[in-house]
Amino acid sequence: DPKIIQKPKYLVAVTGSEKILICEQYLGHNAMYWYRQSAKKPLEFMFSYSYQKLMDNQTASSRFQPQSSKKNHLDLQITALKPDDSATYFCASSPGTGGSDTQYFGPGTRLLVL
Amino acid sequence: QQQVRQSSQSLTVWEGETAILNCSYENSAFDYFPWYQQFPGEGPALLIAIRSVSDKKEDGRFTIFFNKREKNLSLHIKDSQPGDSATYFCAASWGNYQLIWGSGTKLIIKP
């Protein structure tokens, strides 16, 4: 059974629209993350959460808003979508937020903005 | 400013050779260095990691060589196989601070 579920697997959106990317982890971890990967930036850290609280935000744009309704959920809401937002978005989790905690990645959501 | 740098965007070696992937870092406080492996269509996964108190870490065909004085490390993949073709990310951290990621090296193993 997959331990980290990301939905949907593929997503096509029009410029200016809003989408929510879903992430659930069943590893019992306390920390969750969002990363973005594109041809321009190989692996870009976006957010980290610990016990449902924001720990770090490296995303300059407020169009990206993480939402944690439960300890094992961390969704990513993206508003006013732009073609530049086209990328694969990875959710990850780790036991804690320490730098030496192994991060486990989900399969990703591939977003294409037209 | 890149704190963790992987000098090669891509590397091609023949099957059976040793692939060497290089990584350097800026912050001398970094004390934990994992390498993550990512196959196309998947998320990265931890491959092997080393702490700064060691100069070598081996796991099967994968070995990390670490040089604290020079602030660099390398991942050696011995007897490389086509199935090792993937993107390899070097990362670094210290204390409770989050991982800092390199830009990745795409490794291609030619049969």
Side-chain angles (χ1 to χ4, degrees):
Chain A
D1 288 339
K3 302 297 185 185
I4 299 182
I5 296 171
Q6 289 192 244
K7 293 184 281 193
K9 189 170 182 179
Y10 300 99
L11 189 53
V12 179
V14 295
T15 298
S17 66
E18 172 183 315
K19 292 293 179 187
I20 296 179
L21 282 56
I22 307 293
C23 177
E24 305 168 12
Q25 57 93 0
Y26 295 94
L27 293 163
H29 289 167
N30 298 313
M32 296 186 73
Y33 311 82
W34 276 104
Y35 288 85
R36 176 169 55 190
Q37 187 171 52
S38 66
K40 291 180 187 176
K41 293 194 177 180
L43 192 64
E44 182 187 1
F45 168 81
M46 299 179 75
F47 300 98
S48 65
Y49 266 65
S50 178
Y51 294 96
Q52 296 184 265
K53 290 186 180 175
L54 179 67
M55 298 299 290
D56 195 2
N57 176 0
Q58 296 288 331
T59 304
S61 174
S62 60
R63 295 187 299 108
F64 296 85
Q65 291 293 326
Q67 299 170 342
S68 181
S69 59
K70 297 180 193 176
K71 181 186 166 188
N72 67 327
H73 282 229
L74 186 64
D75 301 335
L76 182 64
Q77 180 185 38
I78 315 174
T79 58
L81 278 160
K82 303 177 179 180
D84 251 6
D85 298 330
S86 298
T88 299
Y89 291 80
F90 288 104
C91 175
S93 71
S94 63
T97 51
S100 60
D101 281 274
T102 299
Q103 293 186 20
Y104 296 82
F105 284 76
T109 290
R110 286 150 188 80
L111 172 66
L112 176 63
V113 183
L114 302 174
Chain B
Q1 185 185 14
Q2 253 185 318
Q3 290 203 58
V4 177
R5 188 166 177 270
Q6 293 180 251
S7 51
S8 301
Q9 273 193 319
S10 65
L11 175 68
T12 301
V13 301
W14 293 102
E15 182 177 358
E17 291 184 337
T18 296
I20 300 174
L21 289 73
N22 296 308
C23 178
S24 61
Y25 61 96
E26 309 255 338
N27 189 344
S28 55
F30 287 146
D31 62 3
Y32 177 72
F33 302 87
W35 285 86
Y36 279 74
Q37 180 188 53
Q38 183 182 26
F39 294 107
E42 299 180 10
L46 178 66
L47 177 65
I48 186 173
I50 192 168
R51 292 199 177 272
S52 59
V53 293
S54 303
D55 55 16
K56 180 180 173 183
K57 178 74 176 292
E58 195 168 349
D59 184 356
R61 297 185 296 109
F62 301 91
T63 303
I64 300 174
F65 292 94
F66 178 72
N67 187 324
K68 190 171 185 175
R69 188 172 61 87
E70 298 291 330
K71 292 196 280 189
N72 60 44
L73 59 156
S74 58
L75 174 67
H76 291 225
I77 306 174
K78 198 168 42 177
D79 185 25
S80 53
Q81 307 293 311
D84 296 329
S85 296
T87 298
Y88 292 81
F89 290 95
C90 173
S93 72
W94 67 281
N96 284 325
Y97 290 94
Q98 60 155 334
L99 273 180
I100 305 297
W101 295 79
S103 54
T105 296
K106 184 177 181 180
L107 177 65
I108 299 169
I109 309 297
K110 284 191 172 180

